[in-house]
Amino acid sequence: MNLDLASIALSDLIEVLIDGILFGLQLSLLAVGLVLIFGLGGILNLAHGEFVIVTGVISAVLISSGWNPAVAILAGILFSGILALALDRSVLRPVYRLEGEMEVLVGLFVTLGLAFTLEGITSYLFPGLYFSVRVPVETVSIFGLSFRASALVSGMISFLSLMLLLLFLGKTMTGKAIRAALQNQTGSKVCGIDVDRMRSLVFFLGGLMAGLAALAKGIASSVEPGSGLELTSYALIVGVVGGVRSVYGAMVAGILLGIVNALAGYLLGTYLTLVILLAIVVAVILYKPSGLFAGGV
Amino acid sequence: MDLLKVEGLKAGYKGLNVLWDVDLSVKKNTIVSIIGSNGSGKTTLLNAIMGLVEISEGDVVFKGERINHLRTQERVTLGLAFVPSERELFPQMSVQDNLMLGAYTPRARRSIKDSLRQVYDFFPVLKERSNQLAGTMSGGEQQMLAIGRALMSLPELLILDELSTGLAPAVTLRIYRKLKGLSERMTVLLAEQNIHQAFMVSDYIYVLENGRIIASGSPDELSESSLIKNAYLGVKA
Ligand SMILES: Nc1ncnc2c1ncn2[C@@H]1O[C@H](COP(=O)(O)OP(=O)(O)OP(=O)(O)O)[C@@H](O)[C@H]1O
Ligand SMILES: [Mg+2]
């Protein structure tokens, strides 16, 4: 058989690209919630990655105690949504009464505290636990290229979740009210929109999206306690690159950074990828502080 | 019947009181204007009625109900609509979406199609540009959009802060005529810089100076008053 080096490199590259897109979709799913919550609540939620862990932990515990996996995962996702909602309604309530810089700073420390608390509780109660969903088929080959079936399924779930969110925000009256509240709070109130209620709803949605990200991640690889802050860092990177108030920007930036991440990992080595992503964030903040894709939703 | 009553109102901003003991009432199916020089407190008064500025003393009563404690969106649900002086549109949404959001309350949502048609009849330019982003409309078009959005909520009391801002005089005049026509069904409260237009269109006028009502009456009564003639109408008494 005649081996052609150039074509191997190309097919490798395509696989890397697709891997990048699939990972990027997970990032998007994680970042949209962060961006929505920042846009409406004025809080950069450093506990956002913990919502992923919580879904993973709840699902794994329920599955191991005999629940039907589908129901267990659904319960896990729902739990993250409700947890996010509960945070909005309780500890964050006093933070919203602050203004400007003070709200941002106090918000950072309150959510950082929450992140450590949740990370502590989940690691202490469930050491060594991890959430992973196996797909029955190993690999799928498309046009002569082979893909891990799990990565494809995971990507599909991320993509569908994002499309559903876009549809909700773009087509329903409640979705439009959320976008309205992101763009102009006084204007929203004058239209009869309850901005506080929209903010709570956005927390719930952000929690659900993080829960869905846990499912996507659990299928592609695994979710385990202790990695929440790393996930939050990814979400922050994507959110800032996309434009920290833009849901649409977060989606595009997630995919873009997923590709960069995969390429950097392939060409330079995985230990460098996070550093490269951080360098990109710094460059975006310096040269285009509103984000690459600000505007839109 | 008084649709809106403001009694002994004191309001302002952190560390700065602006309105002092303001009394005002708006009868159903009339057009009432508040006039006064820059910084006299017109915007503050309208914002206080809408719940956008905190009240420290006094009452706002709408349809016989004290609404001091209600949040802005609850006041809108009760039948108040507001066109703020800064318009407060949703810049990255289409003209049509901006209008639809004006009909967010359940009552207004039921007749959203009819209202949309009426607003488009009222402002044909909004129909032509229904897909354009609100933020890219001209100043005058944005003002029409803000008025259209307020009408979408089918208000009982329409409150307008500086209706004429950014609009050509002919357009302002046309809107005033339309409002006059609408006042069969709707009541209107205006803050207006343009004294002549306020005199032309209003059934009753309040004059606000330094946060206090210093005179009030029908346009005829006020134009007889030498104080008003000197200060506002540019006529020597
Ligand atoms: N957000 C605010 N914080 C502090 N002071 C304010 C604020 N808004 C208005 N003021 C002050 O309150 C007073 C009344 O302002 P207001 O905007 O109500 O006047 P106005 O009659 O609407 O004036 P104009 O005709 O210029 O619109 C002014 O002295 C103004 O400086
Ligand atoms: Mg004003």
Side-chain angles (χ1 to χ4, degrees):
Chain A
M1 214 176 156
N2 196 359
L3 273 182
D4 180 354
L5 279 177
S7 88
I8 288 175
L10 185 66
S11 68
D12 271 6
L13 211 61
I14 291 174
E15 276 170 33
V16 168
L17 269 177
I18 296 205
D19 261 0
I21 292 172
L22 296 177
F23 176 60
L25 285 166
Q26 274 176 49
L27 293 182
S28 305
L29 210 45
L30 202 56
V32 285
L34 189 89
V35 161
L36 277 171
I37 288 171
F38 181 70
L40 263 187
I43 284 177
L44 263 183
N45 176 23
L46 294 182
H48 202 68
E50 309 305 328
F51 297 153
V52 178
I53 309 302
V54 164
T55 294
V57 165
I58 301 272
S59 308
V61 167
L62 291 180
I63 290 171
S64 71
S65 64
W67 283 46
N68 172 316
V71 178
I73 292 167
L74 231 59
I77 293 171
L78 203 62
F79 189 89
S80 281
I82 292 169
L83 176 67
L85 184 64
L87 294 182
D88 167 66
R89 291 282 172 94
S90 59
V91 277
L92 294 178
R93 205 57 8 149
V95 183
Y96 301 132
R97 290 198 205 103
L98 305 171
E99 270 166 28
E101 213 161 65
M102 220 178 343
E103 183 189 358
V104 175
L105 288 176
V106 175
L108 277 181
F109 287 109
V110 169
T111 55
L112 187 61
L114 281 169
F116 281 126
T117 309
L118 286 168
E119 201 144 332
I121 292 175
T122 48
S123 313
Y124 176 75
L125 290 182
F126 310 102
L129 178 102
Y130 68 97
F131 168 66
S132 160
V133 183
R134 252 174 293 151
V135 176
V137 190
E138 272 285 314
T139 56
V140 183
S141 67
I142 304 169
F143 300 124
L145 300 171
S146 72
F147 298 102
R148 287 185 302 126
S150 56
L152 286 183
V153 173
S154 158
M156 206 75 111
I157 287 172
S158 308
F159 183 74
L160 287 178
S161 308
L162 289 169
M163 287 305 110
L164 272 179
L165 180 69
L166 271 191
L167 223 56
F168 171 72
L169 291 175
K171 299 288 177 215
T172 67
M173 194 63 146
T174 309
K176 285 179 188 182
I178 289 177
R179 283 160 59 216
L182 278 167
Q183 292 176 26
N184 188 329
Q185 302 211 348
T186 304
S188 305
K189 291 177 190 168
V190 163
C191 286
I193 296 167
D194 186 337
V195 175
D196 288 340
R197 198 127 124 233
M198 292 305 130
R199 193 199 55 228
S200 297
L201 181 57
V202 148
F203 265 85
F204 180 65
L205 281 175
L208 286 187
M209 289 293 141
L212 286 162
L215 173 58
K217 193 171 182 328
I219 292 173
S221 51
S222 69
V223 176
E224 54 273 312
S227 56
L229 279 170
E230 185 189 336
L231 293 172
T232 301
S233 320
Y234 275 113
L236 278 174
I237 291 170
V238 172
V240 172
V241 170
V244 85
R245 283 168 189 282
S246 167
V247 175
Y248 172 74
M251 291 188 185
V252 181
I255 295 168
L256 190 76
L257 292 177
I259 293 172
V260 170
N261 187 69
L263 279 178
Y266 176 67
L267 298 172
L268 304 170
T270 39
Y271 59 96
L272 276 177
T273 55
L274 194 55
V275 176
I276 288 174
L277 293 183
L278 288 169
I280 291 177
V281 173
V282 173
V284 168
I285 292 174
L286 289 179
Y287 296 106
K288 196 150 189 315
S290 60
L292 295 184
F293 317 102
V297 180
Chain B
M1 186 200 125
D2 287 331
L3 185 62
L4 178 80
K5 240 177 133 53
V6 172
E7 292 167 333
L9 189 79
K10 212 175 144 188
Y13 307 92
K14 268 192 197 100
L16 170 78
N17 194 63
V18 173
L19 299 173
W20 304 89
D21 202 27
V22 169
D23 289 318
L24 167 154
S25 70
V26 179
K27 292 205 172 9
K28 222 174 151 91
N29 302 107
T30 59
I31 297 185
V32 173
S33 294
I34 302 162
I35 60 174
S37 48
N38 293 125
S40 59
K42 303 182 294 294
T43 297
T44 307
L45 176 54
L46 298 188
N47 280 334
I49 293 170
M50 287 308 298
L52 292 164
V53 159
E54 213 163 307
I55 294 171
S56 48
E57 266 176 45
D59 285 325
V60 178
V61 179
F62 181 60
K63 294 196 281 189
E65 184 189 341
R66 194 169 158 272
I67 59 169
N68 295 28
H69 59 287
L70 294 186
R71 293 179 301 162
T72 303
Q73 63 268 18
E74 294 164 327
R75 299 182 197 208
V76 173
T77 308
L78 274 186
L80 289 166
F82 188 36
V83 179
S85 57
E86 304 294 331
R87 302 187 188 113
E88 315 288 1
L89 298 169
F90 310 119
Q92 285 159 16
M93 296 174 88
S94 69
V95 166
Q96 177 134 334
D97 278 349
N98 269 269
L99 290 175
M100 305 262 273
L101 283 161
Y104 184 78
T105 62
R107 184 174 60 91
R109 221 180 283 192
R110 264 176 256 133
S111 38
I112 196 164
K113 284 224 172 74
D114 278 344
S115 314
L116 200 59
R117 191 157 19 84
Q118 280 171 21
V119 169
Y120 281 154
D121 283 348
F122 202 169
F123 298 115
V125 63
L126 296 183
K127 185 172 188 179
E128 283 160 33
R129 301 185 167 251
S130 60
N131 289 319
Q132 189 174 328
L133 294 185
T136 64
M137 302 275 279
S138 80
E141 288 167 347
Q142 290 192 20
Q143 183 68 358
M144 295 181 210
L145 179 53
I147 297 170
R149 187 180 70 177
L151 290 173
M152 289 292 293
S153 72
L154 304 174
E156 286 176 62
L157 176 60
L158 176 64
I159 302 180
L160 297 136
D161 195 353
E162 309 286 358
L163 172 132
S164 51
T165 311
L167 295 176
V171 178
T172 312
L173 213 61
R174 193 171 62 80
I175 295 174
Y176 272 133
R177 290 221 188 86
K178 281 279 200 189
L179 289 180
K180 200 86 182 159
L182 286 178
S183 73
E184 309 270 300
R185 284 179 285 135
M186 204 193 306
T187 309
V188 179
L189 175 62
L190 306 158
E192 191 48 90
Q193 292 271 358
N194 189 324
I195 312 287
H196 290 281
Q197 278 173 351
F199 269 67
M200 211 171 54
V201 71
S202 307
D203 298 304
Y204 203 82
I205 292 173
Y206 288 90
V207 183
L208 193 64
E209 256 340 299
N210 294 318
R212 294 172 202 276
I213 302 280
I214 55 158
S216 68
S218 69
D220 289 343
E221 286 164 7
L222 279 186
S223 49
E224 289 308 306
S225 134
S226 57
L227 173 83
I228 303 303
K229 272 187 192 158
N230 282 331
Y232 295 99
L233 295 177
V235 183
K236 278 263 174 281

